[in-house]
Amino acid sequence: MADIENNNDLTKDQNEEKEDIVTPWDVEGANDSGIDYEKLIKRFGSSRIDDALIERLEKVIKKPVHHFIKRGIFFSHRDLHTLLNLYEQGKPFYLYTGRGPSSESMHLGHLIPFIITKWLQEAFNVPLVIQMSDDEKVIWKDLPVEEGIRLSIENARDIIAMGFDIEKTFIFSNLCYMGQCPEYYKNIVKIEKCVTYNQVKGIFGFIEDDVLGKVGFPAVEAAPALSTSFPFIFGDKKRQVLIPCAIDQDPYFRMLRDVAPRLGFAKPALLHSTFFPALQGAKSKMSASNFNSAIFLTDTQEEIAMKINDHTFTAEGNVDIDVPYKLLTFFLSDDNELERVKNAFSSGQMSSAEIRKIAIDCLQPIVREHQEKRKLVTDEVVEQYMTVRKLNC
Amino acid sequence: MADIENNNDLTKDQNEEKEDIVTPWDVEGANDSGIDYEKLIKRFGSSRIDDALIERLEKVIKKPVHHFIKRGIFFSHRDLHTLLNLYEQGKPFYLYTGRGPSSESMHLGHLIPFIITKWLQEAFNVPLVIQMSDDEKVIWKDLPVEEGIRLSIENARDIIAMGFDIEKTFIFSNLCYMGQCPEYYKNIVKIEKCVTYNQVKGIFGFIEDDVLGKVGFPAVEAAPALSTSFPFIFGDKKRQVLIPCAIDQDPYFRMLRDVAPRLGFAKPALLHSTFFPALQGAKSKMSASNFNSAIFLTDTQEEIAMKINDHTFTAEGNVDIDVPYKLLTFFLSDDNELERVKNAFSSGQMSSAEIRKIAIDCLQPIVREHQEKRKLVTDEVVEQYMTVRKLNC
């Protein structure tokens, strides 16, 4: 899947004066307050995750939802009620998410879909497939094919370090898996048969000078949402899928939702997250090429402190735009503690310096522990996760 | 590769008033005399196979060229001199041709590229790869994927019956092979990185309402012309390729010739044939859906006689357009006998009825023998040809 850092042509609704831009390659707020997610829900035609849905989720899984959901970081969905209906009827689903391996260093923002995916996998005890879209990166970033595969493996190491159950998780590089399982290509052909150039142009804003690889990629990102792309896991069973992702990836699956019924599949269900803020604030974008715009999983403890102290956008007392506070909403899981910080900071009892320190204390151990776990992920372990095999669920 | 029987939008040179239409999906002469091949050579920028080239070929292989070449049925080429230079330096090439399996019954015209390919393989003792583009047919003909694969296997049976050396020949279905060898998809991605939508639109005449599968297919037909698509045959060696095909397939390789040097490959060499005439004459097209427009490899001896007697376009004494005579130029290999027939027919000494009988006597045993050989091609034999393996050359 794509980072949100590339430039490309944009799909805008021409009816509105000035609108947030949200495509797989570009995310830009129309004004300083960042993306208007309410408007986005309307424009994309998805549904808000409301209290009733949260309540239902908790009833089904018999435990509280993840704080990403409670706090509105995952704020939008498609067909989650249908998915839960099926689940309650004993019809299990599977999870699909992905990563576009454009560089060796993943940053904290890249973890968001994987954190919720891991939580969902544990809550529902379902199989998970993770696409490393190295073909996409080879095409968009003009990387050599072998470098794309190398980055897939390096990024897979980070993903594995997050603790996904090896018995229930299959990670695949497109450049490798395409040549390992004919059913994958067959499903791509089936999707490619149903979508016109005009449609992808409308959905993704492609221009005529875009290369064929770009024009064709939507079918490649969509295909793993058809369970028959993994016959060694699902046989020829058509199983419902749930795709947790940042909302900029929605266009791929909006496209597939049109096509799936024609192929005899249910429409994929989705869970959409907001965007992770750049350290410089919600308006600017996090970029792997700008060292100080993000906290990388490879950062030292000192670099984390330095970045938060010197490079975060702070707004004394304003929890809506203060970046150190925003980071806490993602990574401080203790609701009571977050509430205490919020109240103290809003009321002026807590200074920017203090909240920065809290953010540093929160993030340093997360990154340190990640680095420790990553060291344990040997080449052999990566190979096991990426081996075509039966899963145990 | 494509049959020439489909409709699609066309690439025309806008500078000329009325021009022959030659695309992979449509072949139509601007006037009654059929395609003007001299004009086509100029428009496509290929080279005529002239006496000097024929002489050189015969010197290199130390035997006469096939009558398809001598008689101008294969009339055009690209880079054959370069290929022969390399061959003389001890640098071997490989052969690539293909078939778009749109129906179970192949007709005589479908054999033309395979006949010359077999002759070239024997003359030069080189490996051969044959693409069954079932993915193309699934997309263009709206066939189910499994039906595409079935037709690939049935058509492969006909191709195998022609006697290709199993030690030197690999036949592959795109829908299957894509999932068997990652290097194939990698090469497709490399090509897709170098060609824009605008370019394929210009070359193939795609329109915006064409599905993604059509837009992306040119890279799939082009990729086997990169030797690294077959690592089990060529390792990672970049070997020159020679592609014998009907000239309507040239656009795919014109596209690749632009791209190949950027990928570190030599431009593919080509050998182009004229089109096989429909029984109703050069102006109309042969069609698998019109039983009487072609002689099928499944036709009985009686059907062959009936079709030639009742459904061929005849032109008393005119060897330029008389279809029974045209058929003899393809299938009567004895030059002296053909010369005798030509003189007798032209001078009015031989009637249409007589030349039809000669054509029947020529074609009946060819089809009968093909049917006998085809019966010997068991499922196991087909599987052997289509198995990913090292070749012995």
Side-chain angles (χ1 to χ4, degrees):
Chain A
M1 298 197 187
D3 292 332
I4 55 175
E5 64 207 40
N6 285 17
N7 274 320
N8 203 295
D9 290 82
L10 318 168
T11 313
K12 288 197 208 182
D13 187 330
Q14 300 294 335
N15 297 329
E16 295 192 31
E17 194 58 51
K18 206 179 172 197
E19 205 168 49
D20 297 336
I21 293 163
V22 176
T23 78
W25 307 282
D26 211 347
V27 175
E28 204 180 311
N31 52 58
D32 285 346
S33 61
I35 303 296
D36 184 332
Y37 291 107
E38 279 302 330
K39 268 195 188 165
L40 214 53
I41 283 179
K42 279 198 196 117
R43 215 170 89 208
F44 281 15
S46 62
S47 307
R48 171 160 274 290
I49 298 179
D50 55 17
D51 291 343
L53 178 55
I54 291 178
E55 205 175 300
R56 183 172 180 200
L57 261 173
E58 295 189 331
K59 214 175 121 193
V60 171
I61 61 175
K62 299 184 184 70
K63 63 177 183 176
V65 294
H66 192 273
H67 68 267
F68 282 180
I69 297 174
K70 206 165 7 182
R71 295 177 191 169
I73 289 169
F74 278 82
F75 71 105
S76 159
H77 77 98
R78 294 182 186 275
D79 279 345
L80 215 55
H81 280 293
T82 310
L83 186 98
L84 291 174
N85 291 344
L86 289 169
Y87 184 80
E88 287 179 323
Q89 292 162 24
K91 293 176 189 156
F93 57 94
Y94 73 104
L95 289 158
Y96 164 39
T97 192
R99 154 101 188 121
S102 55
S103 73
E104 213 158 312
S105 356
M106 286 171 68
H107 58 59
L108 281 182
H110 293 139
L111 298 185
I112 307 308
F114 292 105
I115 292 171
I116 200 76
T117 300
K118 179 164 185 278
W119 179 83
L120 287 162
Q121 184 181 44
E122 287 165 3
F124 288 96
N125 187 32
V126 287
L128 162 64
V129 296
I130 300 175
Q131 179 187 68
M132 309 303 290
S133 58
D134 40 17
D135 49 353
E136 179 200 15
K137 292 304 168 189
V138 163
I139 290 160
W140 261 267
K141 299 258 174 185
D142 201 16
L143 303 176
V145 158
E146 295 311 322
E147 176 64 3
I149 295 173
R150 193 185 70 80
L151 293 177
S152 276
I153 291 168
E154 286 314 305
N155 284 194
R157 214 182 291 276
D158 279 304
I159 293 165
I160 291 165
M162 297 177 70
F164 288 99
D165 185 344
I166 195 166
E167 298 284 317
K168 300 183 173 64
T169 306
F170 173 53
I171 305 177
F172 61 100
S173 131
N174 281 339
L175 287 167
C176 299
Y177 183 54
M178 195 72 73
Q180 295 172 335
C181 176
E183 306 306 320
Y184 191 23
Y185 180 62
K186 289 178 194 173
N187 277 338
I188 289 168
V189 168
K190 286 177 191 174
I191 296 167
E192 283 183 331
K193 245 175 86 167
C194 296
V195 183
T196 67
Y197 173 78
N198 227 348
Q199 287 171 312
V200 292
K201 185 180 143 186
I203 297 171
F204 299 96
F206 292 134
I207 56 168
E208 297 218 341
D209 279 336
D210 276 332
V211 296
L212 293 189
K214 292 190 180 185
V215 175
F217 180 70
V220 179
E221 179 153 334
L226 304 180
S227 57
T228 50
S229 294
F230 309 97
F232 45 92
I233 304 175
F234 306 113
D236 57 1
K237 292 277 191 322
K238 290 177 178 172
R239 196 191 272 214
Q240 168 86 45
V241 67
L242 172 61
I243 306 165
C245 60
I247 194 156
D248 63 313
Q249 299 298 304
D250 184 69
Y252 292 108
F253 306 111
R254 222 150 65 214
M255 180 193 87
L256 185 64
R257 284 170 58 86
D258 268 355
V259 170
R262 274 188 276 168
L263 302 179
F265 286 85
K267 293 183 176 193
L270 284 111
L271 211 49
H272 298 125
S273 77
T274 61
F275 303 113
F276 194 70
L279 297 186
Q280 285 74 37
K283 185 79 197 306
S284 60
K285 281 168 288 171
M286 204 167 280
S287 166
S289 56
N290 180 351
F291 180 69
N292 286 325
S293 75
I295 292 167
F296 291 94
L297 296 176
T298 46
D299 282 350
T300 64
Q301 299 289 295
E302 295 69 35
E303 283 166 345
I304 295 168
M306 180 274 289
K307 285 179 181 184
I308 291 177
N309 279 326
D310 302 346
H311 294 285
T312 49
F313 175 81
T314 54
E316 200 82 46
N318 187 343
V319 292
D320 290 334
I321 55 173
D322 184 82
V323 168
Y325 178 77
K326 281 269 178 204
L327 293 174
L328 291 174
T329 64
F330 280 84
F331 287 103
L332 181 61
S333 56
D334 182 333
D335 289 334
N336 294 330
E337 174 64 3
L338 186 71
E339 188 65 17
R340 190 192 68 78
V341 171
K342 183 182 182 179
N343 291 336
F345 188 61
S346 304
S347 62
Q349 292 169 304
M350 183 181 282
S351 69
S352 273
E354 283 172 288
I355 200 168
R356 281 201 296 264
K357 180 164 188 322
I358 294 173
I360 292 167
D361 289 344
C362 170
L363 296 180
Q364 278 182 334
I366 290 173
V367 173
R368 188 178 57 234
E369 282 160 27
H370 179 85
Q371 291 168 351
E372 281 160 12
K373 284 183 192 145
R374 192 182 194 277
K375 273 186 210 150
L376 304 176
V377 183
T378 60
D379 289 348
E380 290 68 35
V381 170
V382 176
E383 207 189 314
Q384 283 170 33
Y385 276 88
M386 298 184 83
T387 295
V388 168
R389 67 203 193 282
K390 220 171 142 53
L391 296 184
N392 189 13
C393 52
Chain B
M1 298 197 186
D3 292 332
I4 55 175
E5 64 206 42
N6 285 18
N7 274 320
N8 204 294
D9 290 83
L10 317 168
T11 313
K12 288 197 207 182
D13 188 330
Q14 301 294 334
N15 296 330
E16 296 190 31
E17 195 59 49
K18 206 179 172 197
E19 204 168 49
D20 296 336
I21 292 164
V22 177
T23 77
W25 306 282
D26 211 347
V27 175
E28 201 179 313
N31 52 58
D32 285 346
S33 61
I35 303 295
D36 183 333
Y37 290 108
E38 279 303 330
K39 268 196 188 165
L40 213 53
I41 283 179
K42 279 199 195 117
R43 214 169 91 208
F44 281 15
S46 61
S47 307
R48 172 159 274 289
I49 297 179
D50 55 16
D51 290 344
L53 178 55
I54 291 177
E55 205 174 300
R56 184 172 179 200
L57 261 173
E58 295 188 333
K59 214 175 120 193
V60 170
I61 61 175
K62 299 185 183 70
K63 63 175 183 178
V65 294
H66 192 274
H67 69 268
F68 282 179
I69 297 175
K70 206 166 5 185
R71 296 178 192 168
I73 288 170
F74 277 81
F75 70 106
S76 159
H77 76 97
R78 294 182 186 275
D79 279 346
L80 215 55
H81 279 293
T82 310
L83 187 99
L84 291 175
N85 291 344
L86 289 169
Y87 184 80
E88 287 179 323
Q89 292 162 25
K91 292 174 188 155
F93 58 93
Y94 72 104
L95 290 159
Y96 164 38
T97 193
R99 154 99 190 123
S102 55
S103 73
E104 214 158 311
S105 357
M106 287 171 68
H107 57 59
L108 281 181
H110 293 140
L111 297 185
I112 306 308
F114 292 105
I115 291 171
I116 199 76
T117 300
K118 180 163 183 278
W119 178 83
L120 286 162
Q121 185 182 44
E122 287 165 3
F124 288 97
N125 188 29
V126 288
L128 161 65
V129 296
I130 300 175
Q131 179 187 68
M132 309 302 291
S133 58
D134 40 17
D135 48 355
E136 179 201 15
K137 292 305 168 191
V138 163
I139 290 160
W140 261 267
K141 299 261 175 184
D142 200 16
L143 303 176
V145 158
E146 296 312 322
E147 176 65 2
I149 294 173
R150 192 185 71 81
L151 292 177
S152 276
I153 291 168
E154 286 313 305
N155 285 192
R157 213 182 292 275
D158 278 303
I159 294 165
I160 292 165
M162 297 178 69
F164 289 99
D165 185 343
I166 195 166
E167 297 284 318
K168 299 183 173 63
T169 306
F170 174 53
I171 305 177
F172 60 101
S173 130
N174 281 340
L175 288 166
C176 298
Y177 183 55
M178 195 72 73
Q180 294 173 335
C181 177
E183 307 306 319
Y184 190 24
Y185 181 60
K186 289 179 193 172
N187 278 338
I188 289 168
V189 168
K190 286 177 191 173
I191 296 167
E192 284 183 331
K193 246 174 86 167
C194 296
V195 183
T196 67
Y197 173 77
N198 228 348
Q199 287 171 312
V200 292
K201 185 180 141 185
I203 298 170
F204 299 95
F206 292 134
I207 56 166
E208 298 218 340
D209 278 337
D210 276 332
V211 295
L212 294 188
K214 293 190 180 185
V215 175
F217 180 70
V220 179
E221 178 152 336
L226 304 180
S227 56
T228 51
S229 294
F230 308 97
F232 45 92
I233 304 175
F234 306 113
D236 57 1
K237 292 277 191 320
K238 291 176 178 173
R239 197 191 270 215
Q240 168 87 45
V241 68
L242 172 61
I243 305 164
C245 59
I247 195 156
D248 63 313
Q249 299 297 304
D250 185 69
Y252 293 108
F253 305 111
R254 222 150 64 215
M255 179 193 87
L256 185 64
R257 284 169 59 86
D258 268 354
V259 169
R262 277 188 275 167
L263 302 179
F265 286 84
K267 293 182 177 194
L270 283 112
L271 211 49
H272 297 127
S273 77
T274 61
F275 302 111
F276 193 71
L279 298 186
Q280 285 72 38
K283 186 79 197 307
S284 61
K285 283 168 286 171
M286 203 168 280
S287 167
S289 54
N290 181 351
F291 180 69
N292 286 326
S293 74
I295 292 166
F296 292 94
L297 297 176
T298 45
D299 282 351
T300 63
Q301 300 288 296
E302 295 68 34
E303 283 165 344
I304 295 168
M306 179 274 291
K307 285 180 180 183
I308 290 178
N309 279 325
D310 301 345
H311 294 286
T312 50
F313 174 83
T314 54
E316 201 82 45
N318 187 343
V319 292
D320 290 334
I321 54 172
D322 183 83
V323 168
Y325 178 76
K326 282 269 178 202
L327 292 174
L328 290 174
T329 64
F330 281 84
F331 287 103
L332 180 62
S333 56
D334 182 333
D335 289 334
N336 294 330
E337 174 64 2
L338 187 70
E339 189 66 18
R340 189 191 69 78
V341 171
K342 184 181 180 179
N343 291 336
F345 188 61
S346 303
S347 62
Q349 293 169 305
M350 183 182 282
S351 69
S352 272
E354 283 172 287
I355 200 168
R356 280 201 297 265
K357 180 164 188 321
I358 295 173
I360 292 167
D361 289 345
C362 171
L363 296 180
Q364 277 182 335
I366 290 173
V367 174
R368 189 179 57 236
E369 281 161 28
H370 179 85
Q371 291 168 352
E372 280 161 12
K373 284 183 192 145
R374 192 183 194 277
K375 273 186 211 148
L376 305 176
V377 183
T378 60
D379 290 348
E380 291 67 36
V381 170
V382 176
E383 206 188 316
Q384 282 170 34
Y385 277 88
M386 298 185 82
T387 295
V388 168
R389 67 203 194 280
K390 221 172 141 51
L391 296 185
N392 190 13
C393 52

